[in-house]
Amino acid sequence: MKLKIVFLFLAFLSFGLHAQFDENAKLKSLYEKALYTDCIEKANEFLERDREELYPYFWQLRSYLAIHFSKFHEKQKTALDKALNIAVKIHKKDKNSFFENEYPEVFETLEVECLKAAKLNCDAHFEKSEKIYQKLMDLEYKSSTHFAKFLCLEYHNQYEALGLLEQLINQNYNDFKSGILPQKENEKYYIELLNRYFSQGLSWKMNQLLKKTKEIYPNSDLTYLAFVQGCETNFYLYNFDSDLSDLLKYKSNLLSIDSIYPSFKNENIHHQIDFIIAAKYLILSENDPAYDAYKLIKEYLNGFPLEIRLDSCKNFFLSYLLRNKSRQNINYKKVFASWTDLSKLYQKSSYLEAVKFNENFLQKENELHLATLYLNYGFKAFPNDKLKLAQIKKNLDDLLIANLKNGTASKELAAIIELSDNSQIKSLLLEEDIKLMNSMLFRKQYSALSRFVNKDLILFPQHPKLLSIKKQLVINDYRNQIARYDSVDENLYFLKLPDASKCIPGVLSDLGNSAVLTQLNYVRRLAGIYDSCVISPEFAPACQQAALMMEANHRLDHAPSSNWACYKREGAEAAGNSNLSLGHGFNHALMGQVNDDGSNNWACGHRRWILNPYNSTFGLGSTVYAMCLKVFYTENSSREKYVHSFSDSQFVAWPSADYFPLEMTPNRWSFSLDGADFKNAKVSVTCNGIQLSVRMEQEAHGYALGTLVWTLGSFPVKDKAYVVKISNVLNMDNVNKTYTYKVVFLEI
């Protein structure tokens, strides 16, 4: 009897295995005959009898993957998504990962194709990409998928993308600490994050990450070399246009790198940055004759190789002239001697011959922007040799036009548009600019695009293509920035929650800082001013204490007394140097300060500090119901950023010129101009030629730039052009000027 039972059991088992083998063989046969639809349907029949059997799923996966590669198959468009869904199902059911280990090429092919599809959908259909990445991660944690999602997400939400990359690095570092050997290809993730930290000025995070990288990859030079290369790119990109605080931070970053990678100290970069810092101090000094500045720099450069000295002196000389082009007291012959002295040419021939030599050198090196600038000042230095210089200029213009027409012109030539007086060159350069700006618009590079289009609109006001780009920029930028943090839980804005009842100030998270900084940079960009500001962690504790004090006492005061609840001296000091809000916090408080409604805010002081072009560093503290934004005494010499480039033609208006979101329209309008005397100024606003009622607010001093403030008798209407004219303005050079600009309000 027992033998009979055993026999029946073995027979049943044998039948099951045979049936399983038979099913697998049938499906495999259909697949190999390229009958993919039949294979999928037959697999469904088998699955109706046994949902736990995995081979039918596997052959469905392979069939859908094959259909994906069949360009004309009726199910081709949806096949990849179905294959991915089935792969996730197999992964969940296959506890021992039999199929993924036995057929790795199938799952690798699926991953490659899914990553391609996700990347393709990234711009226009981001939600599709996000679903694909999530399913791939459901299959298994793979850093390559994680990184691909980061690159895609970066175009849509930089903060979330950065968080994703940080999560990837932390996972990798924790694996390393747990004894899992690091993979060499993962080093690129560290390099990406290092460069993000560098570009955002997050030095302390950068240093921490450098130490981790060195710990994980102790024998690798890749991170150091790639990072320094990124630094060099930034360094040469900004060069003399960097403000002094940025240069000093850059120097600090290099010193940090040297301490972690002592054997790789790059002396050339150190020499260059030291030189530029020295030159910057000289450029910023008030009574700085160019030749005296050069003599000091020449002493500083003694001992350096001639190539470095020549290149450094050339950069200083050209940058000095560019940034001081409005000065009247420059002795151009002495300045030209600065460079020619270094090349020893002036000892052999005249200054004019040296100009010819250096001009030829610049053209040969394809430094056409510098050649144009150099030649412009040659005309000022040698007014009696205009005919000789005119021939050099003709040769240079011909070369520029030829390069622009045949497509070999460098992108750096865009700066020549401001320097050249040749209408054909200007027209060709504008066409190149417009191509570049459309690319920036597509890639959501709104910060760079804003600077670009505003610069060209000064040169080509009312140009239809430029205005079209500016309009689309205002629409896209608003949609991308304003709604970004609206649905975020404000509890995520804190690492430690504040509690006014217990005088606990709390600590802001990176997300809390980002919510304010993103909006701050957005409104500055809309106003046409510097929009790469930072929130310094140095001021966070005092500002956080100030915000807590405002909430705890249910009132605002820039000079709170010591009998206040939760009083601390550092909080009181921060309150005296800051914009304060009560009733809401973070980005909502910031926008309230920009609007500056309320009877006490007639001077628009909060707005003026936020839109102060000479400040780029802020401090922040916030609770849910109060906010403190430190707006002055944040830098020792913040004016340097615009000391030569923020001219009297670059006013700051709110609502700003050209296009403005109707949803952000304030009750009070303002017009700011550095060093202006508005005593006799008059403001008029017209729409469709009809004069509108304007009520002026009393002029108030002491809030950033000098400013006029007014209100209109009626709220603006969308798509209508409002022309603002401000006359009888005495600018900083005591010249009476009139400023006119147009605002079109867009309902977005």
Side-chain angles (χ1 to χ4, degrees):
M1 183 65 180
K2 288 182 180 179
L3 286 173
K4 188 175 181 181
I5 293 171
V6 170
F7 174 78
L8 288 172
F9 174 76
L10 290 174
F12 175 78
L13 183 62
S14 173
F15 175 78
L17 290 172
H18 176 75
Q20 186 183 71
F21 176 80
D22 188 48
E23 289 176 2
N24 185 37
K26 286 179 181 177
L27 294 174
K28 183 179 179 181
S29 174
L30 290 170
Y31 173 81
E32 289 174 345
K33 292 176 182 177
L35 299 172
Y36 305 126
T37 303
D38 292 343
C39 183
I40 292 166
E41 291 174 355
K42 195 68 176 175
N44 279 331
E45 291 178 15
F46 292 146
L47 287 169
E48 285 179 6
R49 296 198 298 271
D50 185 358
R51 287 285 172 188
E52 298 306 312
E53 174 56 46
L54 293 182
Y55 267 109
Y57 287 119
F58 176 70
W59 289 111
Q60 282 186 333
L61 164 61
R62 296 199 68 175
S63 295
Y64 276 123
L65 202 51
I67 290 171
H68 166 70
F69 289 108
S70 304
K71 193 174 289 186
F72 302 107
H73 197 285
E74 59 180 3
K75 295 182 179 179
Q76 193 266 343
K77 289 185 178 180
T78 60
L80 187 63
D81 190 50
K82 290 183 181 295
L84 182 55
N85 289 336
I86 292 169
V88 172
K89 193 174 291 186
I90 292 173
H91 180 75
K92 288 178 180 177
K93 291 176 176 288
D94 188 6
K95 302 301 182 184
N96 297 318
S97 301
F98 167 79
F99 287 95
E100 289 170 69
N101 293 329
E102 192 72 16
Y103 305 97
E105 70 284 353
V106 174
F107 291 88
E108 286 169 9
T109 301
L110 176 66
E111 181 187 21
V112 168
E113 291 303 305
C114 286
L115 287 175
K116 284 182 186 176
K119 185 177 180 180
L120 195 64
N121 282 301
C122 187
D123 285 327
H125 305 288
F126 176 64
E127 298 79 9
K128 289 184 180 179
S129 297
E130 202 165 26
K131 287 178 181 177
I132 293 172
Y133 288 127
Q134 188 55 55
K135 288 175 184 176
L136 284 172
M137 283 190 247
D138 287 344
L139 280 175
E140 186 180 340
Y141 176 83
K142 287 192 177 180
S143 54
S144 57
T145 302
H146 213 98
F147 186 64
K149 183 178 180 182
F150 153 73
L151 292 173
C152 180
L153 182 60
E154 195 172 30
Y155 285 114
H156 300 271
N157 189 322
Q158 289 184 353
Y159 176 81
E160 283 188 22
L162 192 64
L164 193 65
L165 188 54
E166 288 173 335
Q167 183 184 342
L168 171 60
I169 296 293
N170 289 337
Q171 174 77 28
N172 187 260
Y173 186 70
N174 291 336
D175 288 348
F176 167 73
K177 284 296 189 180
S178 302
I180 300 174
L181 290 176
Q183 295 180 334
K184 182 62 182 173
E185 58 268 23
N186 287 353
E187 193 172 0
K188 68 182 179 184
Y189 311 141
Y190 289 80
I191 294 168
E192 288 286 346
L193 188 55
L194 280 166
N195 282 315
R196 297 305 187 280
Y197 285 160
F198 176 81
S199 64
Q200 294 181 24
L202 300 173
S203 302
W204 62 279
K205 283 193 171 186
M206 185 189 74
N207 292 338
Q208 286 181 329
L209 188 57
L210 270 170
K211 290 175 183 176
K212 284 183 179 179
T213 312
K214 182 67 174 175
E215 182 183 356
I216 297 177
Y217 304 102
N219 301 316
S220 172
D221 309 336
L222 180 62
T223 303
Y224 170 81
L225 295 173
F227 181 57
V228 169
Q229 185 179 15
C231 290
E232 283 183 310
T233 301
N234 278 280
F235 169 59
Y236 288 117
L237 178 66
Y238 294 112
N239 213 328
F240 277 89
D241 292 331
S242 299
D243 66 286
L244 186 57
S245 63
D246 284 346
L247 291 168
L248 292 171
K249 286 176 187 174
Y250 186 92
K251 175 69 175 177
S252 173
N253 289 344
L254 285 178
L255 292 173
S256 297
I257 296 168
D258 292 338
S259 69
I260 298 167
Y261 295 88
S263 60
F264 290 101
K265 183 174 180 179
N266 191 318
E267 293 292 345
N268 186 48
I269 297 181
H270 279 272
H271 290 330
Q272 290 282 2
I273 194 69
D274 286 342
F275 160 73
I276 289 187
I277 289 172
K280 195 77 181 181
Y281 277 120
L282 290 166
I283 288 173
L284 296 173
S285 61
E286 289 297 324
N287 54 353
D288 170 26
Y291 190 60
D292 292 342
Y294 163 72
K295 285 193 294 184
L296 288 172
I297 288 177
K298 185 182 174 186
E299 291 174 14
Y300 177 80
L301 288 170
N302 278 343
F304 288 3
L306 179 64
E307 294 78 15
I308 292 178
R309 291 161 61 198
L310 178 61
D311 190 54
S312 298
C313 222
K314 176 190 73 177
N315 281 336
F316 167 70
F317 160 71
L318 294 168
S319 299
Y320 184 92
L321 292 179
L322 183 62
R323 296 176 73 83
N324 291 276
K325 57 189 175 184
S326 61
R327 286 194 179 183
Q328 304 298 315
N329 61 345
I330 294 178
N331 186 325
Y332 291 101
K333 285 192 178 182
K334 280 191 175 183
V335 176
F336 270 80
S338 303
W339 191 9
T340 55
D341 173 44
L342 193 65
S343 60
K344 307 300 181 186
L345 283 167
Y346 79 101
Q347 295 177 359
K348 301 175 184 177
S349 57
S350 69
Y351 290 148
L352 180 60
E353 291 303 313
V355 171
K356 289 180 183 177
F357 174 86
N358 285 317
E359 183 67 26
N360 288 335
F361 165 76
L362 290 170
Q363 291 188 37
K364 183 180 176 183
E365 294 296 312
N366 205 31
E367 298 267 12
L368 301 186
H369 166 227
L370 298 182
T372 303
L373 177 63
Y374 187 83
L375 194 57
N376 281 0
Y377 286 106
F379 279 96
K380 295 182 180 180
F382 308 104
N384 297 328
D385 295 299
K386 286 184 178 178
L387 290 177
K388 294 178 181 177
L389 292 170
Q391 185 56 48
I392 300 175
K393 183 178 185 304
K394 183 181 183 307
N395 295 339
L396 175 60
D397 285 353
D398 289 346
L399 180 59
L400 281 168
I401 291 169
N403 284 3
L404 285 164
K405 283 184 174 179
N406 64 26
T408 60
S410 164
K411 294 294 184 189
E412 296 168 2
L413 290 184
I416 299 176
I417 205 166
E418 299 178 73
L419 304 173
S420 178
D421 58 2
N422 185 305
S423 59
Q424 188 177 5
I425 290 174
K426 281 184 175 290
S427 177
L428 289 168
L429 282 169
L430 181 59
E431 289 178 20
E432 291 298 311
D433 279 6
I434 288 170
K435 289 178 190 174
L436 182 58
M437 283 187 268
N438 279 318
S439 173
M440 289 177 175
L441 191 62
F442 175 75
R443 297 196 171 275
K444 301 184 173 130
Q445 297 170 327
Y446 300 138
S447 180
L449 175 55
S450 177
R451 289 193 288 273
F452 224 114
V453 72
N454 288 333
K455 172 183 71 70
D456 277 4
L457 277 169
I458 292 173
L459 300 171
F460 304 96
Q462 305 308 310
H463 190 283
K465 288 185 179 178
L466 291 176
L467 286 173
S468 175
I469 291 171
K470 179 75 177 282
K471 181 178 182 180
Q472 201 57 50
L473 165 65
V474 171
I475 292 170
N476 291 8
D477 202 7
Y478 178 89
R479 289 173 178 170
N480 185 62
Q481 301 295 345
I482 290 299
R484 180 183 292 191
Y485 296 95
D486 284 352
S487 59
V488 176
D489 180 357
E490 286 194 338
N491 285 329
L492 298 177
Y493 289 165
F494 301 98
L495 290 176
K496 181 179 179 182
L497 286 169
D499 188 339
S501 66
K502 297 178 181 177
C503 291
I504 298 173
V507 179
L508 299 189
S509 68
D510 286 348
L511 183 60
N513 282 301
S514 180
V516 176
L517 183 60
T518 299
Q519 211 98 320
L520 173 75
N521 281 327
Y522 166 74
V523 296
R524 288 173 65 93
R525 179 162 62 251
L526 186 58
I529 61 175
Y530 185 81
D531 66 332
S532 298
C533 300
V534 295
I535 289 176
S536 172
E538 176 188 350
F539 309 119
C543 290
Q544 194 62 30
Q545 185 65 37
L548 177 78
M549 288 162 58
M550 302 303 130
E551 179 179 336
N553 293 275
H554 306 293
R555 56 186 286 206
L556 296 177
D557 197 326
H558 291 288
S561 63
S562 57
N563 62 1
W564 270 38
C566 304
Y567 177 87
K568 283 193 176 180
R569 182 174 56 81
E570 59 268 30
E573 289 177 356
N577 299 321
S578 304
N579 285 352
L580 301 174
S581 293
L582 186 63
H584 42 206
F586 295 102
N587 47 316
H588 299 295
L590 180 84
M591 293 311 295
Q593 292 177 3
V594 173
N595 284 334
D596 252 351
D597 289 333
S599 58
N600 292 329
N601 295 324
W602 49 268
C604 287
H606 302 95
R607 179 192 302 169
R608 288 159 66 173
W609 284 121
I610 289 169
L611 299 183
N612 177 14
Y614 298 120
N615 187 31
S616 63
T617 302
F618 295 79
L620 175 67
S622 187
T623 68
V624 174
Y625 301 109
M627 193 266 268
C628 169
L629 183 73
K630 188 173 173 68
V631 291
F632 47 99
Y633 301 132
T634 57
E635 289 182 330
N636 293 327
S637 53
S638 57
R639 292 179 67 83
E640 70 224 9
K641 192 177 296 293
Y642 284 99
V643 73
H644 295 302
S645 62
F646 195 78
S647 68
D648 69 350
S649 65
Q650 293 174 285
F651 54 82
V652 180
W654 196 262
S656 51
D658 300 321
Y659 297 98
F660 194 86
L662 184 67
E663 293 83 348
M664 290 177 59
T665 306
N667 291 321
R668 295 186 175 99
W669 295 39
S670 60
F671 174 93
S672 304
L673 186 64
D674 190 22
D677 182 347
F678 293 120
K679 185 169 51 181
N680 298 314
K682 296 183 185 299
V683 177
S684 71
V685 182
T686 58
C687 181
N688 292 337
I690 300 172
Q691 193 82 29
L692 303 180
S693 171
V694 172
R695 186 180 72 81
M696 299 300 300
E697 299 282 9
Q698 181 181 343
E699 189 180 354
H701 300 281
Y703 304 95
L705 304 184
T707 299
L708 289 173
V709 180
W710 67 92
T711 58
L712 292 182
S714 58
F715 195 78
V717 178
K718 69 175 182 177
D719 300 329
K720 298 283 188 183
Y722 290 77
V723 180
V724 180
K725 180 179 179 182
I726 302 172
S727 55
N728 292 331
V729 177
L730 202 62
N731 70 8
M732 64 173 64
D733 296 322
N734 286 322
V735 176
N736 195 290
K737 295 193 72 172
T738 296
Y739 297 87
T740 304
Y741 60 97
K742 181 174 68 175
V743 187
V744 176
F745 292 91
L746 304 174
E747 188 173 49
I748 302 174

